[in-house]
CSV table of all heavy atoms in Angstrom, one decimal:
chain,number,residue,atom,x,y,z
J,32,THR,N,18.1,1.9,34.0
J,32,THR,CA,18.7,0.6,34.1
J,32,THR,C,19.3,0.3,35.5
J,32,THR,O,18.9,-0.6,36.2
J,32,THR,CB,19.7,0.3,33.0
J,32,THR,OG1,19.0,0.6,31.8
J,32,THR,CG2,20.1,-1.1,32.9
J,33,PRO,N,20.3,1.2,35.9
J,33,PRO,CA,20.8,1.0,37.3
J,33,PRO,C,19.8,1.1,38.4
J,33,PRO,O,19.8,0.4,39.4
J,33,PRO,CB,21.9,2.0,37.4
J,33,PRO,CG,21.7,3.0,36.3
J,33,PRO,CD,20.9,2.3,35.3
J,34,LEU,N,18.8,2.0,38.2
J,34,LEU,CA,17.8,2.2,39.2
J,34,LEU,C,16.9,1.0,39.4
J,34,LEU,O,16.6,0.6,40.5
J,34,LEU,CB,16.9,3.4,38.8
J,34,LEU,CG,16.0,4.0,39.8
J,34,LEU,CD1,16.7,4.4,41.0
J,34,LEU,CD2,15.2,5.2,39.2
J,35,THR,N,16.6,0.3,38.3
J,35,THR,CA,15.8,-0.9,38.3
J,35,THR,C,16.5,-2.0,39.1
J,35,THR,O,16.0,-2.7,39.9
J,35,THR,CB,15.5,-1.4,36.9
J,35,THR,OG1,14.9,-0.4,36.2
J,35,THR,CG2,14.6,-2.6,36.9
J,36,SER,N,17.8,-2.0,38.8
J,36,SER,CA,18.6,-3.0,39.5
J,36,SER,C,18.7,-2.7,41.0
J,36,SER,O,18.6,-3.7,41.8
J,36,SER,CB,20.0,-3.0,38.8
J,36,SER,OG,21.0,-3.4,39.7
J,37,LEU,N,18.9,-1.5,41.3
J,37,LEU,CA,18.9,-1.1,42.7
J,37,LEU,C,17.6,-1.5,43.4
J,37,LEU,O,17.6,-2.1,44.5
J,37,LEU,CB,19.1,0.4,42.9
J,37,LEU,CG,20.5,0.9,42.9
J,37,LEU,CD1,20.5,2.5,42.9
J,37,LEU,CD2,21.3,0.4,44.1
J,38,SER,N,16.4,-1.2,42.8
J,38,SER,CA,15.2,-1.5,43.4
J,38,SER,C,15.0,-3.0,43.6
J,38,SER,O,14.6,-3.5,44.6
J,38,SER,CB,14.0,-1.1,42.6
J,38,SER,OG,14.1,0.2,42.2
J,39,GLY,N,15.5,-3.8,42.6
J,39,GLY,CA,15.4,-5.2,42.7
J,39,GLY,C,16.2,-5.8,43.9
J,39,GLY,O,15.7,-6.6,44.6
J,40,PHE,N,17.4,-5.2,44.1
J,40,PHE,CA,18.3,-5.7,45.2
J,40,PHE,C,17.7,-5.3,46.5
J,40,PHE,O,17.7,-6.1,47.5
J,40,PHE,CB,19.7,-5.2,45.0
J,40,PHE,CG,20.5,-6.0,44.0
J,40,PHE,CD1,20.9,-5.5,42.8
J,40,PHE,CD2,20.7,-7.4,44.3
J,40,PHE,CE1,21.6,-6.3,41.9
J,40,PHE,CE2,21.4,-8.2,43.4
J,40,PHE,CZ,21.9,-7.6,42.2
J,41,ILE,N,17.1,-4.1,46.6
J,41,ILE,CA,16.5,-3.7,47.9
J,41,ILE,C,15.4,-4.7,48.2
J,41,ILE,O,15.3,-5.2,49.4
J,41,ILE,CB,15.9,-2.3,47.7
J,41,ILE,CG1,17.1,-1.3,47.6
J,41,ILE,CG2,15.0,-1.9,48.9
J,41,ILE,CD1,16.7,0.1,47.4
J,42,GLU,N,14.6,-5.1,47.2
J,42,GLU,CA,13.5,-6.0,47.5
J,42,GLU,C,14.0,-7.3,47.9
J,42,GLU,O,13.5,-7.9,48.9
J,42,GLU,CB,12.7,-6.2,46.2
J,42,GLU,CG,11.2,-6.1,46.3
J,42,GLU,CD,10.6,-5.8,45.0
J,42,GLU,OE1,10.4,-6.8,44.2
J,42,GLU,OE2,10.3,-4.6,44.7
J,43,THR,N,15.0,-7.8,47.2
J,43,THR,CA,15.6,-9.1,47.6
J,43,THR,C,16.1,-9.1,49.0
J,43,THR,O,16.0,-10.1,49.8
J,43,THR,CB,16.7,-9.5,46.7
J,43,THR,OG1,16.3,-9.2,45.3
J,43,THR,CG2,17.1,-11.0,46.8
J,44,MET,N,16.8,-8.0,49.4
J,44,MET,CA,17.4,-7.9,50.7
J,44,MET,C,16.3,-7.8,51.8
J,44,MET,O,16.6,-8.2,53.0
J,44,MET,CB,18.4,-6.8,50.8
J,44,MET,CG,19.7,-7.1,50.2
J,44,MET,SD,20.8,-5.7,49.9
J,44,MET,CE,21.1,-5.3,51.6
J,45,ARG,N,15.2,-7.3,51.4
J,45,ARG,CA,14.1,-7.2,52.4
J,45,ARG,C,13.4,-8.5,52.5
J,45,ARG,O,12.8,-8.8,53.6
J,45,ARG,CB,13.1,-6.1,52.0
J,45,ARG,CG,13.6,-4.8,52.3
J,45,ARG,CD,12.5,-3.8,51.8
J,45,ARG,NE,12.3,-2.8,52.7
J,45,ARG,CZ,11.6,-1.7,52.5
J,45,ARG,NH1,10.9,-1.6,51.4
J,45,ARG,NH2,11.4,-0.8,53.4
J,46,GLY,N,13.4,-9.3,51.5
J,46,GLY,CA,12.7,-10.6,51.5
J,46,GLY,C,13.6,-11.8,51.6
J,46,GLY,O,14.1,-12.0,52.7
J,47,PRO,N,13.8,-12.5,50.5
J,47,PRO,CA,14.5,-13.8,50.5
J,47,PRO,C,15.9,-13.7,51.2
J,47,PRO,O,16.3,-14.6,51.9
J,47,PRO,CB,14.7,-14.2,49.1
J,47,PRO,CG,13.8,-13.3,48.3
J,47,PRO,CD,13.4,-12.1,49.1
J,48,ALA,N,16.6,-12.6,51.0
J,48,ALA,CA,18.0,-12.6,51.5
J,48,ALA,C,18.1,-11.9,52.9
J,48,ALA,O,19.2,-11.6,53.4
J,48,ALA,CB,18.9,-11.8,50.5
J,49,ARG,N,17.0,-11.7,53.5
J,49,ARG,CA,16.9,-11.0,54.8
J,49,ARG,C,17.9,-11.5,55.8
J,49,ARG,O,18.6,-10.7,56.5
J,49,ARG,CB,15.5,-11.2,55.3
J,49,ARG,CG,15.2,-10.3,56.5
J,49,ARG,CD,13.8,-10.6,57.0
J,49,ARG,NE,13.3,-9.3,57.6
J,49,ARG,CZ,12.4,-8.6,57.1
J,49,ARG,NH1,11.7,-9.0,56.0
J,49,ARG,NH2,12.0,-7.5,57.7
J,50,ASP,N,18.0,-12.8,56.0
J,50,ASP,CA,18.9,-13.4,57.0
J,50,ASP,C,20.2,-14.0,56.5
J,50,ASP,O,20.7,-14.9,57.1
J,50,ASP,CB,18.1,-14.4,57.8
J,50,ASP,CG,16.8,-13.8,58.4
J,50,ASP,OD1,17.0,-12.7,59.0
J,50,ASP,OD2,15.8,-14.4,58.2
J,51,ASP,N,20.6,-13.5,55.3
J,51,ASP,CA,21.8,-14.1,54.7
J,51,ASP,C,22.9,-13.0,54.6
J,51,ASP,O,22.9,-12.3,53.6
J,51,ASP,CB,21.4,-14.7,53.3
J,51,ASP,CG,22.6,-15.4,52.7
J,51,ASP,OD1,23.7,-15.2,53.1
J,51,ASP,OD2,22.3,-16.1,51.6
Side-chain angles (χ1 to χ4, degrees):
T32 311
L34 192 57
T35 306
S36 149
L37 275 175
S38 310
F40 281 113
I41 291 174
E42 228 161 80
T43 314
M44 280 168 65
R45 284 180 137 170
R49 190 181 209 113
D50 304 311
D51 183 347

